[in-house]
């Protein structure tokens, strides 16, 4: 992309934001050393689930699908800065995808996922500890931000893989996050993501995602962007930005 003074300012601002977020993340790890208090929420099945921090590290342990749904309910209910950690591989649904990556059936027998971070976004730390979440299913082409996390707002998500999942929405659709204003580290998606605009395997390539992807590529990381609109793909490949108020 062309290097302009405005472009250099935006790049510098972006790098400053990334550094600030990294510092905030480090501070959160130190500040959250105290044990988290139990939180009880009602999940989609009507069951009451209590999230616990049994090891006292400031993060709620998530070891099954109900606890994952409870964590989402707690965050979406206003506890936006809580921390969570996976203690096992999580299976929400089984055999969501066929071998060719298409949906297995009409989806009526699958448990529907509600993304984490609806409203103010996710501001805490979510550590997958290298585990996977399989069988996420959300199929609604009238909704935006359909992902594992709706929005990461100065939070950190790391070390988790989303597999055998079908995520279909309208805009800001991704495997891990639809909108990222924080850190996404060592995450991956091996599933099907479908949308009409700003669709990505891991993080949506929107106002923040696209410039961040460019900076990651400049830093030497292998970065791959996806979009369903050929015009946008061509613009990026030609060095132009398709986001109106961000310079090339």
């Amino acid at each position: 992309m062309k290097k302009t003074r405005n472009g250099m300012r935006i790049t510098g601002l972006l790098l400053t934001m990334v550094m600030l977020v990294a510092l905030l993340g480090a501070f959160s790890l130190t500040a959250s050393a105290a044990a988290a208090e139990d939180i009880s929420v009602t999940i989609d099945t009507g069951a009451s689930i209590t999230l616990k921090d049994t090891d006292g590290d400031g993060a709620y342990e998530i070891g099954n699908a109900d606890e994952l749904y409870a964590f989402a309910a707690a965050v979406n209910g206003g506890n936006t800065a809580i921390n969570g950690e996976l203690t096992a591989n999580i299976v929400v649904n089984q055999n969501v995808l066929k071998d060719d990556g298409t949906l297995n059936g009409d989806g009526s027998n699958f448990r529907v996922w509600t993304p984490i971070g609806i409203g103010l976004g996710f501001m805490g730390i979510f550590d997958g500890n290298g585990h996977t979440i399989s069988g996420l299913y959300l199929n609604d082409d009238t909704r935006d931000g359909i992902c594992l996390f709706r929005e990461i707002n100065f939070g950190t998500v790391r070390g988790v893989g989303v597999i055998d999942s079908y995520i279909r929405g309208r805009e800001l659709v991704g495997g891990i996050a639809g909108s990222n204003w924080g850190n996404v580290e060592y995450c991956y998606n091996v599933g099907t993501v479908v949308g009409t605009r700003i669709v990505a395997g891991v993080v949506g390539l929107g106002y923040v995602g696209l410039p961040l992807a460019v900076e990651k590529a400049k830093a030497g990381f292998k970065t791959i962007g996806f979009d369903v609109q050929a015009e946008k793909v061509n613009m990026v490949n030609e060095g132009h930005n398709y986001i109106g108020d961000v310079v090339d």
Side-chain angles (χ1 to χ4, degrees), residues 1-238:
M1 294 186 180
K2 295 182 295 183
K3 293 182 178 179
T4 65
R5 289 186 176 181
N6 288 337
M8 292 175 67
R9 290 194 192 102
I10 290 175
T11 298
L13 177 60
L14 178 62
L15 290 174
T16 301
M17 289 175 62
V18 171
M19 292 174 65
L20 178 60
V21 169
L23 289 173
L24 288 172
F27 174 78
S28 297
L29 282 171
T30 302
S32 62
E37 296 182 358
D38 291 359
I39 295 178
S40 295
V41 295
T42 301
I43 61 173
D44 60 318
T45 61
S48 178
I49 303 296
T50 300
L51 294 170
K52 295 180 176 292
D53 173 21
T54 58
D55 58 7
D57 65 353
Y60 293 104
E61 287 91 11
I62 302 170
N64 56 51
D66 281 352
E67 290 174 346
L68 180 64
Y69 277 70
F71 187 81
V75 173
N76 297 340
N79 297 286
T80 57
I82 61 174
N83 304 321
E85 58 183 351
L86 298 187
T87 60
N89 294 330
I90 307 298
V91 179
V92 177
N93 297 292
Q94 294 184 331
N95 301 318
V96 169
L97 300 178
K98 297 179 183 178
D99 291 340
D100 62 0
T102 59
L103 182 62
N104 187 7
D106 63 4
S108 60
N109 59 324
F110 294 138
R111 186 177 186 179
V112 177
W113 171 245
T114 298
I116 302 168
I118 295 174
L120 296 176
F122 177 64
M123 303 178 185
I125 299 172
F126 185 93
D127 195 337
N129 288 316
H131 293 296
T132 60
I133 297 173
S134 65
L136 292 182
Y137 173 75
L138 187 46
N139 187 359
D140 188 345
D141 59 9
T142 68
R143 292 179 59 185
D144 301 333
I146 293 181
C147 321
L148 176 60
F149 287 82
R150 167 62 178 87
E151 180 178 343
I152 301 171
N153 189 5
F154 292 100
T156 296
V157 177
R158 60 173 173 245
V160 61
V162 173
I163 62 175
D164 187 33
S165 296
Y166 185 87
I167 301 172
R168 179 173 179 261
R170 185 174 59 178
E171 297 184 7
L172 297 173
V173 184
I176 302 296
S179 178
N180 175 34
W181 298 84
N183 287 331
V184 176
E185 306 167 353
Y186 309 109
C187 296
Y188 62 93
N189 172 50
V190 184
T192 297
V193 179
V194 182
T196 58
R197 183 174 181 269
I198 311 179
V199 181
V202 176
V203 178
L205 296 179
Y207 189 89
V208 175
L210 179 59
L212 185 61
V214 171
E215 293 307 313
K216 290 293 185 182
K218 287 180 179 179
F221 293 96
K222 184 178 181 180
T223 306
I224 301 174
F226 299 88
D227 200 284
V228 296
Q229 298 185 17
E231 180 182 358
K232 291 181 180 179
V233 174
N234 292 335
M235 287 179 66
V236 172
N237 288 336
E238 292 171 1

